[in-house]
PDB file of all heavy atoms in Angstrom:
ATOM      1  N   THR B 683      43.994 -47.201  13.408  1.00  0.00           N
ATOM      2  CA  THR B 683      43.669 -45.834  12.964  1.00  0.00           C
ATOM      3  C   THR B 683      42.358 -45.815  12.158  1.00  0.00           C
ATOM      4  O   THR B 683      41.510 -44.946  12.352  1.00  0.00           O
ATOM      5  CB  THR B 683      44.798 -45.257  12.080  1.00  0.00           C
ATOM      6  OG1 THR B 683      46.047 -45.607  12.676  1.00  0.00           O
ATOM      7  CG2 THR B 683      44.667 -43.771  11.944  1.00  0.00           C
ATOM      8  N   LEU B 720      50.939 -27.045  16.707  1.00  0.00           N
ATOM      9  CA  LEU B 720      51.057 -27.241  15.260  1.00  0.00           C
ATOM     10  C   LEU B 720      51.284 -25.909  14.556  1.00  0.00           C
ATOM     11  O   LEU B 720      52.136 -25.783  13.672  1.00  0.00           O
ATOM     12  CB  LEU B 720      49.792 -27.930  14.740  1.00  0.00           C
ATOM     13  CG  LEU B 720      49.723 -28.194  13.238  1.00  0.00           C
ATOM     14  CD1 LEU B 720      50.848 -29.115  12.800  1.00  0.00           C
ATOM     15  CD2 LEU B 720      48.378 -28.788  12.874  1.00  0.00           C
ATOM     16  N   SER B 753      42.864 -28.382  10.534  1.00  0.00           N
ATOM     17  CA  SER B 753      44.012 -29.298  10.515  1.00  0.00           C
ATOM     18  C   SER B 753      44.364 -29.663   9.088  1.00  0.00           C
ATOM     19  O   SER B 753      45.541 -29.620   8.707  1.00  0.00           O
ATOM     20  CB  SER B 753      43.692 -30.576  11.277  1.00  0.00           C
ATOM     21  OG  SER B 753      43.239 -30.285  12.541  1.00  0.00           O
ATOM     22  N   ASN B 754      43.383 -30.017   8.344  1.00  0.00           N
ATOM     23  CA  ASN B 754      43.631 -30.340   6.933  1.00  0.00           C
ATOM     24  C   ASN B 754      44.295 -29.189   6.217  1.00  0.00           C
ATOM     25  O   ASN B 754      45.255 -29.367   5.456  1.00  0.00           O
ATOM     26  CB  ASN B 754      42.310 -30.672   6.232  1.00  0.00           C
ATOM     27  CG  ASN B 754      41.964 -32.127   6.372  1.00  0.00           C
ATOM     28  OD1 ASN B 754      42.652 -32.879   7.061  1.00  0.00           O
ATOM     29  ND2 ASN B 754      40.898 -32.545   5.700  1.00  0.00           N
ATOM     30  N   LYS B 757      47.751 -29.057   7.163  1.00  0.00           N
ATOM     31  CA  LYS B 757      48.517 -30.253   6.792  1.00  0.00           C
ATOM     32  C   LYS B 757      48.884 -30.252   5.310  1.00  0.00           C
ATOM     33  O   LYS B 757      50.042 -30.430   4.943  1.00  0.00           O
ATOM     34  CB  LYS B 757      47.692 -31.491   7.141  1.00  0.00           C
ATOM     35  CG  LYS B 757      48.416 -32.786   6.819  1.00  0.00           C
ATOM     36  CD  LYS B 757      47.822 -33.958   7.577  1.00  0.00           C
ATOM     37  CE  LYS B 757      46.452 -34.315   7.054  1.00  0.00           C
ATOM     38  NZ  LYS B 757      45.918 -35.541   7.688  1.00  0.00           N
ATOM     39  N   TYR B 758      47.871 -30.051   4.479  1.00  0.00           N
ATOM     40  CA  TYR B 758      48.116 -30.109   3.045  1.00  0.00           C
ATOM     41  C   TYR B 758      48.584 -28.745   2.558  1.00  0.00           C
ATOM     42  O   TYR B 758      47.960 -28.102   1.732  1.00  0.00           O
ATOM     43  CB  TYR B 758      46.844 -30.527   2.310  1.00  0.00           C
ATOM     44  CG  TYR B 758      46.418 -31.939   2.657  1.00  0.00           C
ATOM     45  CD1 TYR B 758      45.453 -32.171   3.633  1.00  0.00           C
ATOM     46  CD2 TYR B 758      46.993 -33.023   2.002  1.00  0.00           C
ATOM     47  CE1 TYR B 758      45.087 -33.466   3.944  1.00  0.00           C
ATOM     48  CE2 TYR B 758      46.618 -34.320   2.323  1.00  0.00           C
ATOM     49  CZ  TYR B 758      45.653 -34.530   3.302  1.00  0.00           C
ATOM     50  OH  TYR B 758      45.284 -35.804   3.601  1.00  0.00           O
ATOM     51  N   ARG B 804      41.857 -41.135  -0.204  1.00  0.00           N
ATOM     52  CA  ARG B 804      42.859 -40.086  -0.132  1.00  0.00           C
ATOM     53  C   ARG B 804      43.424 -39.836  -1.503  1.00  0.00           C
ATOM     54  O   ARG B 804      43.290 -40.644  -2.411  1.00  0.00           O
ATOM     55  CB  ARG B 804      43.981 -40.505   0.821  1.00  0.00           C
ATOM     56  CG  ARG B 804      43.495 -40.899   2.194  1.00  0.00           C
ATOM     57  CD  ARG B 804      44.658 -41.053   3.128  1.00  0.00           C
ATOM     58  NE  ARG B 804      45.288 -39.754   3.350  1.00  0.00           N
ATOM     59  CZ  ARG B 804      46.599 -39.592   3.484  1.00  0.00           C
ATOM     60  NH1 ARG B 804      47.413 -40.615   3.380  1.00  0.00           N
ATOM     61  NH2 ARG B 804      47.102 -38.391   3.715  1.00  0.00           N
ATOM     62  N   HIS B 806      46.639 -38.866  -1.584  1.00  0.00           N
ATOM     63  CA  HIS B 806      48.104 -38.992  -1.399  1.00  0.00           C
ATOM     64  C   HIS B 806      48.403 -40.251  -0.596  1.00  0.00           C
ATOM     65  O   HIS B 806      47.534 -40.799   0.063  1.00  0.00           O
ATOM     66  CB  HIS B 806      48.645 -37.772  -0.649  1.00  0.00           C
ATOM     67  CG  HIS B 806      48.225 -36.471  -1.252  1.00  0.00           C
ATOM     68  ND1 HIS B 806      48.899 -35.897  -2.294  1.00  0.00           N
ATOM     69  CD2 HIS B 806      47.189 -35.651  -0.959  1.00  0.00           C
ATOM     70  CE1 HIS B 806      48.291 -34.764  -2.621  1.00  0.00           C
ATOM     71  NE2 HIS B 806      47.248 -34.589  -1.832  1.00  0.00           N
ATOM     72  N   THR B 807      49.656 -40.677  -0.640  1.00  0.00           N
ATOM     73  CA  THR B 807      50.070 -41.822   0.174  1.00  0.00           C
ATOM     74  C   THR B 807      50.375 -41.341   1.582  1.00  0.00           C
ATOM     75  O   THR B 807      50.641 -40.160   1.784  1.00  0.00           O
ATOM     76  CB  THR B 807      51.339 -42.465  -0.405  1.00  0.00           C
ATOM     77  OG1 THR B 807      52.377 -41.478  -0.385  1.00  0.00           O
ATOM     78  CG2 THR B 807      51.075 -42.924  -1.816  1.00  0.00           C
ATOM     79  N   PRO B 808      50.359 -42.297   2.494  1.00  0.00           N
ATOM     80  CA  PRO B 808      50.686 -41.912   3.881  1.00  0.00           C
ATOM     81  C   PRO B 808      52.096 -41.344   4.003  1.00  0.00           C
ATOM     82  O   PRO B 808      52.383 -40.581   4.931  1.00  0.00           O
ATOM     83  CB  PRO B 808      50.568 -43.223   4.648  1.00  0.00           C
ATOM     84  CG  PRO B 808      49.730 -44.099   3.798  1.00  0.00           C
ATOM     85  CD  PRO B 808      49.955 -43.679   2.385  1.00  0.00           C
ATOM     86  N   GLU B 809      52.971 -41.752   3.070  1.00  0.00           N
ATOM     87  CA  GLU B 809      54.336 -41.200   3.122  1.00  0.00           C
ATOM     88  C   GLU B 809      54.336 -39.723   2.785  1.00  0.00           C
ATOM     89  O   GLU B 809      55.082 -38.929   3.362  1.00  0.00           O
ATOM     90  CB  GLU B 809      55.268 -41.935   2.128  1.00  0.00           C
ATOM     91  CG  GLU B 809      55.706 -43.298   2.591  1.00  0.00           C
ATOM     92  CD  GLU B 809      54.609 -44.340   2.408  1.00  0.00           C
ATOM     93  OE1 GLU B 809      53.928 -44.289   1.349  1.00  0.00           O
ATOM     94  OE2 GLU B 809      54.416 -45.169   3.300  1.00  0.00           O
ATOM     95  N   GLU B 810      53.472 -39.305   1.838  1.00  0.00           N
ATOM     96  CA  GLU B 810      53.407 -37.889   1.468  1.00  0.00           C
ATOM     97  C   GLU B 810      52.774 -37.071   2.576  1.00  0.00           C
ATOM     98  O   GLU B 810      53.360 -36.121   3.083  1.00  0.00           O
ATOM     99  CB  GLU B 810      52.575 -37.720   0.195  1.00  0.00           C
ATOM    100  CG  GLU B 810      53.238 -38.246  -1.053  1.00  0.00           C
ATOM    101  CD  GLU B 810      52.277 -38.156  -2.221  1.00  0.00           C
ATOM    102  OE1 GLU B 810      51.224 -38.833  -2.198  1.00  0.00           O
ATOM    103  OE2 GLU B 810      52.565 -37.387  -3.142  1.00  0.00           O
ATOM    104  N   TYR B 811      51.565 -37.459   2.910  1.00  0.00           N
ATOM    105  CA  TYR B 811      50.884 -36.795   3.992  1.00  0.00           C
ATOM    106  C   TYR B 811      50.237 -37.863   4.852  1.00  0.00           C
ATOM    107  O   TYR B 811      49.603 -38.771   4.359  1.00  0.00           O
ATOM    108  CB  TYR B 811      49.785 -35.862   3.458  1.00  0.00           C
ATOM    109  CG  TYR B 811      50.292 -34.737   2.597  1.00  0.00           C
ATOM    110  CD1 TYR B 811      50.301 -34.871   1.202  1.00  0.00           C
ATOM    111  CD2 TYR B 811      50.785 -33.561   3.163  1.00  0.00           C
ATOM    112  CE1 TYR B 811      50.767 -33.834   0.411  1.00  0.00           C
ATOM    113  CE2 TYR B 811      51.248 -32.533   2.375  1.00  0.00           C
ATOM    114  CZ  TYR B 811      51.243 -32.679   0.998  1.00  0.00           C
ATOM    115  OH  TYR B 811      51.712 -31.661   0.207  1.00  0.00           O
ATOM    116  N   GLU B 812      50.451 -37.740   6.152  1.00  0.00           N
ATOM    117  CA  GLU B 812      49.873 -38.760   7.014  1.00  0.00           C
ATOM    118  C   GLU B 812      48.361 -38.528   7.129  1.00  0.00           C
ATOM    119  O   GLU B 812      47.859 -37.441   6.874  1.00  0.00           O
ATOM    120  CB  GLU B 812      50.539 -38.713   8.392  1.00  0.00           C
ATOM    121  CG  GLU B 812      50.333 -37.449   9.167  1.00  0.00           C
ATOM    122  CD  GLU B 812      49.308 -37.615  10.282  1.00  0.00           C
ATOM    123  OE1 GLU B 812      48.926 -38.771  10.577  1.00  0.00           O
ATOM    124  OE2 GLU B 812      48.873 -36.603  10.828  1.00  0.00           O
ATOM    125  N   GLY B 813      47.693 -39.584   7.489  1.00  0.00           N
ATOM    126  CA  GLY B 813      46.247 -39.455   7.664  1.00  0.00           C
ATOM    127  C   GLY B 813      45.532 -40.670   7.103  1.00  0.00           C
ATOM    128  O   GLY B 813      46.097 -41.440   6.328  1.00  0.00           O
ATOM    129  N   THR B 814      44.319 -40.841   7.500  1.00  0.00           N
ATOM    130  CA  THR B 814      43.547 -42.007   7.072  1.00  0.00           C
ATOM    131  C   THR B 814      42.498 -41.650   6.028  1.00  0.00           C
ATOM    132  O   THR B 814      41.877 -42.513   5.448  1.00  0.00           O
ATOM    133  CB  THR B 814      42.800 -42.636   8.255  1.00  0.00           C
ATOM    134  OG1 THR B 814      41.998 -41.611   8.866  1.00  0.00           O
ATOM    135  CG2 THR B 814      43.762 -43.203   9.264  1.00  0.00           C
ATOM    136  N   GLY B 815      42.272 -40.397   5.813  1.00  0.00           N
ATOM    137  CA  GLY B 815      41.211 -40.034   4.883  1.00  0.00           C
ATOM    138  C   GLY B 815      39.845 -40.080   5.529  1.00  0.00           C
ATOM    139  O   GLY B 815      38.837 -40.253   4.848  1.00  0.00           O
ATOM    140  N   ALA B 816      39.833 -39.933   6.832  1.00  0.00           N
ATOM    141  CA  ALA B 816      38.546 -39.952   7.497  1.00  0.00           C
ATOM    142  C   ALA B 816      38.069 -38.552   7.867  1.00  0.00           C
ATOM    143  O   ALA B 816      36.872 -38.312   8.078  1.00  0.00           O
ATOM    144  CB  ALA B 816      38.601 -40.794   8.758  1.00  0.00           C
ATOM    145  N   GLY B 817      39.026 -37.625   7.919  1.00  0.00           N
ATOM    146  CA  GLY B 817      38.712 -36.272   8.386  1.00  0.00           C
ATOM    147  C   GLY B 817      37.537 -35.634   7.670  1.00  0.00           C
ATOM    148  O   GLY B 817      36.567 -35.194   8.293  1.00  0.00           O
TER     149      GLY B 817
END
Side-chain angles (χ1 to χ4, degrees):
Chain B
T683 318
L720 179 61
S753 307
N754 273 5
K757 181 161 70 174
Y758 295 97
R804 306 190 67 217
H806 309 276
T807 61
E809 284 78 41
E810 290 174 296
Y811 297 96
E812 64 104 11
T814 55

